[in-house]
């Protein structure tokens, strides 16, 4: 049976559409239900799995229902009963114009993600929080979105230096 010229193009299109979802990390919203700010489409990390000496880049893709004009992305790791704040990425470093526009797709690339410092824990849960600091002088910064996941590693546990 001869293959039509459309079949390879269709196969390429379908594979490009589903490929990001197949490589993504399993995550959940920190509040278990989602946030008014928007939705996360998927979370990916390069390399996957992460080796002990790798400089990992975490990528968060999503859709913003509302705008955010100032803030940061905070990274924390929970190991056992202890939570460590390990990194803070200013929004101005992550997105053009230092803001995420309402009703738009967004992409947050977190380069050099700290990942090899927790000892003697078999389960390290990472939390990535999008924090809005443009809330006026009276209010405290607001967490607009948060996702949690376990980092895929090539070793059973990552050990600190």
């Amino acid at each position: 049976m001869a293959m039509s010229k459309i079949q390879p193009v269709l196969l390429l299109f379908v594979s490009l559409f589903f490929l990001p979802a197949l490589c993504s990390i399993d995550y959940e919203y920190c509040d278990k239900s989602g946030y008014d700010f928007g939705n996360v489409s998927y979370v990916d990390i390069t390399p996957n799995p992460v080796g002990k000496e790798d400089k990992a880049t975490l990528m968060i893709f999503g859709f913003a229902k509302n705008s955010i004009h100032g803030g940061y992305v905070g990274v924390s790791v929970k190991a056992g009963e202890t939570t460590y704040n390990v990194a803070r990425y200013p929004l101005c470093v992550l997105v053009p114009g230092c803001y995420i526009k309402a009703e738009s797709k967004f992409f947050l690339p977190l380069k050099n993600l700290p990942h090899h410092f927790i000892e003697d824990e078999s389960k390290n849960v990472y939390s990535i929080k999008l924090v809005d600091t443009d809330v006026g002088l009276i209010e405290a910064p607001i967490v607009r979105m948060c996702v949690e996941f376990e980092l895929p590693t090539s070793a059973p546990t990552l050990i600190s230096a």
Side-chain angles (χ1 to χ4, degrees):
M1 175 180 228
M3 183 185 269
S4 75
K5 293 179 183 179
I6 295 175
Q7 285 176 328
V9 174
L10 183 60
L11 180 62
L12 177 64
F13 176 73
V14 169
S15 66
L16 289 175
F17 182 73
F18 289 106
L19 187 60
L22 294 174
C23 296
S24 68
I25 295 174
D26 290 334
Y27 67 91
E28 65 182 7
Y29 291 110
C30 299
D31 71 354
K32 308 300 183 224
S33 62
Y35 294 86
D36 291 338
F37 168 76
N39 301 317
V40 172
S41 304
Y42 63 96
V43 177
D44 196 8
I45 193 156
T46 304
N48 186 354
V50 179
K52 183 179 175 187
E53 301 300 321
D54 291 334
K55 293 188 182 278
T57 297
L58 184 74
M59 296 160 287
I60 300 173
F61 297 85
F63 182 80
K65 296 177 196 170
N66 300 301
S67 296
I68 182 170
H69 294 283
Y72 62 90
V73 173
V75 178
S76 61
V77 179
K78 184 175 182 182
E81 296 299 317
T82 306
T83 300
Y84 303 91
N85 293 319
V86 297
R88 181 184 264 195
Y89 299 86
L91 203 55
C92 286
V93 171
L94 300 176
V95 296
C98 301
Y99 71 95
I100 298 172
K101 187 172 133 182
E103 301 298 321
S104 69
K105 293 180 181 179
F106 65 87
F107 165 63
L108 302 172
L110 309 179
K111 296 182 180 177
N112 297 322
L113 185 71
H115 64 275
H116 55 88
F117 78 13
I118 309 287
E119 286 188 33
D120 301 326
E121 288 293 335
S122 61
K123 183 176 179 183
N124 297 315
V125 177
Y126 281 71
S127 295
I128 310 296
K129 296 178 183 175
L130 177 59
V131 179
D132 187 350
T133 57
D134 188 24
V135 292
L137 297 174
I138 298 173
E139 289 189 56
I142 300 170
V143 175
R144 296 292 183 192
M145 187 176 56
C146 179
V147 292
E148 295 179 327
F149 58 88
E150 289 184 50
L151 194 67
T153 62
S154 58
T157 58
L158 295 174
I159 299 176
S160 67

